[in-house]
Amino acid sequence: MTAQTNRQFLLAKRPVGPATRETFTFQHVPVGEPATGQILVKNQYLSLDPAMRGWMNEGKSYLPPVAIGEVMRALGVGQVITSNNPGFAVGDYVNGALGIQDYFVGEPTGFYKVDPTLAPLPRYLSALGMTGMTAYFALLNVGAPKAGDTVVLSGAAGAVGSIAGQIAKLKGCRVVGIAGGKDKCRFLIDELGFDGAIDYKSEDVVAGLKRECPKGVDVYFDNVGGDILDAVLSRLNFKARVVICGAISQYNNKEAVKGPANYLSLLINRARMEGFVVMDYAAQYASAAQEMAGWMAKGQIKSKEDIVEGLETFPETLMKLFNGENFGKLVLKV
Ligand SMILES: NC(=O)c1ccc[n+]([C@@H]2O[C@H](COP(=O)([O-])OP(=O)(O)OC[C@H]3O[C@@H](n4cnc5c(N)ncnc54)[C@H](OP(=O)(O)O)[C@@H]3O)[C@@H](O)[C@H]2O)c1
């Protein structure tokens, strides 16, 4: 095994603004041998997530920052090729924090097995993985939609937003997506069955909300923050729920994050805004994934993956998330 090479992206410095190729060191090292309790995994698909940009920053967050010189953190799926851990056997497929590299060697903390005969491997990073779990728990537990509610989502054609919007449709809601560009807006209505779409790149979002949400907004599932959050706050209903799932428009800011100017709408409407972190629900992933798989088998939820091939493309591929070039869950095929 040691004859084989492991290509790795290490965090070289903390970026100011967007991450670039210079943010990372790309190195070739021999594949290590797993010690007692450890496993060796051949990585196959790696999940590229907006949160990775936050993990590059110093400071307190829901996870410690990636250290300088450490392999860039990433979830992924791969196959066990050596195991010194009784919980995993050679040949098992696993989902875990594999990192941006060809091979993972280490303790499989938080890893779980997946079955490639039940679903294609990339799907365990989209609807059946952390992305789907985010959509499921953020919408149902924090957004708490009721039939007849109007649910608005930003980043609606993205990985999390597209799944959350479809779940809201299943719950009998009027669902309106905010996305960038005509193709993504058409996809929301024609492919996913949303009731309305607002193209924030070519129309005024407040005007779009007036048109698509004549009865106001009961649940806002926010993935982008910034001006779009402010626009939706201005249209909230009495007792509305605002789910702070993400704020991708702010992640590359060189200045301080822009907070919402319209927050007094929460007071006027006795509404609430609540932050969400998917890891808090890890104990319930298995049952939620089972329900998600059932909806997918019945054709009620569609999952779209955007797969880019080549570990070496990582820095440029990651940037697709921040300029809207991904269409579906962004996955790197190793
Ligand atoms: N809290 C949690 O536990 C948790 C877990 C997973 C993900 N998240 C969050 O969920 C959000 C979506 O993640 P994802 O993995 O599903 O990514 P994604 O939506 O598949 O991709 C990101 C999308 O964000 C949109 N975007 C980028 N810059 C923007 C800007 N300045 N203004 C408006 N939209 C912008 C782009 O879509 P357009 O083409 O439509 O602009 C882009 O395609 C992120 O904020 C992420 O951090 C949170």
Side-chain angles (χ1 to χ4, degrees), residues 9-11 14 24 46-57 59 61-67 69-76 96-101 104 279 314 318:
F9 278 94
L10 315 181
L11 186 64
R14 306 217 177 272
F24 306 97
L46 298 171
S47 177
L48 298 195
D49 294 287
M52 294 167 98
R53 178 62 191 80
W55 300 338
M56 296 174 203
N57 294 339
S61 186
Y62 59 93
L63 278 178
V66 175
E70 194 182 342
V71 174
M72 185 59 212
R73 182 186 295 143
L75 295 175
L98 299 176
I100 303 290
Q101 54 186 341
F104 165 88
M279 293 179 314
F314 163 66
L318 180 66

Side-chain angles (χ1 to χ4, degrees), residues 167-185:
I167 298 174
K169 277 305 298 175
L170 276 173
K171 299 294 172 188
C173 301
R174 173 174 177 80
V175 177
V176 175
I178 304 174
K182 285 194 171 39
D183 288 349
K184 288 188 178 180
C185 287

Side-chain angles (χ1 to χ4, degrees), residues 48-51 130-131 134 155-161 178-180 184 200-201 223-224 228 244-249 251 276-279 320-326 328-330:
L48 298 195
D49 294 287
M130 189 270 288
T131 294
T134 301
V160 171
I178 304 174
K184 288 188 178 180
Y200 77 90
K201 287 188 174 163
N223 286 314
V224 309
I228 293 178
I244 304 298
C245 179
I248 193 168
S249 75
Y251 294 170
F276 168 87
V277 174
V278 66
M279 293 179 314
K320 285 171 172 271
L321 292 168
F322 298 92
N323 51 35
E325 281 178 37
N326 67 307
K329 168 66 202 161
L330 189 62

Side-chain angles (χ1 to χ4, degrees), residues 28-199:
H28 294 60
V29 293
V31 175
E33 292 286 347
T36 306
Q38 296 188 337
I39 59 174
L40 172 64
V41 177
K42 173 73 189 80
N43 298 347
Q44 297 196 356
Y45 295 94
L46 298 171
S47 177
L48 298 195
D49 294 287
M52 294 167 98
R53 178 62 191 80
W55 300 338
M56 296 174 203
N57 294 339
E58 210 147 26
K60 185 174 176 284
S61 186
Y62 59 93
L63 278 178
V66 175
I68 300 296
E70 194 182 342
V71 174
M72 185 59 212
R73 182 186 295 143
L75 295 175
V77 286
Q79 190 171 29
V80 176
I81 51 177
T82 309
S83 178
N84 292 326
N85 183 302
F88 296 90
V90 171
D92 282 348
Y93 287 87
V94 293
N95 189 329
L98 299 176
I100 303 290
Q101 54 186 341
D102 290 304
Y103 295 90
F104 165 88
V105 187
E107 276 162 33
T109 310
F111 283 38
Y112 59 92
K113 292 178 206 173
V114 298
D115 185 345
T117 66
L118 296 179
L121 283 176
R123 196 140 298 161
Y124 289 106
L125 300 176
S126 59
L128 298 177
M130 189 270 288
T131 294
M133 298 302 98
T134 301
Y136 183 99
F137 290 109
L139 180 76
L140 298 179
N141 288 41
V142 184
K146 299 183 296 294
D149 278 354
T150 297
V151 175
V152 173
L153 306 101
S154 56
V160 171
S162 62
I163 304 280
Q166 292 177 85
I167 298 174
K169 277 305 298 175
L170 276 173
K171 299 294 172 188
C173 301
R174 173 174 177 80
V175 177
V176 175
I178 304 174
K182 285 194 171 39
D183 288 349
K184 288 188 178 180
C185 287
R186 202 171 305 119
F187 166 76
L188 293 178
I189 292 174
D190 296 349
E191 299 285 327
L192 304 186
F194 282 30
D195 300 286
I198 300 166
D199 175 3

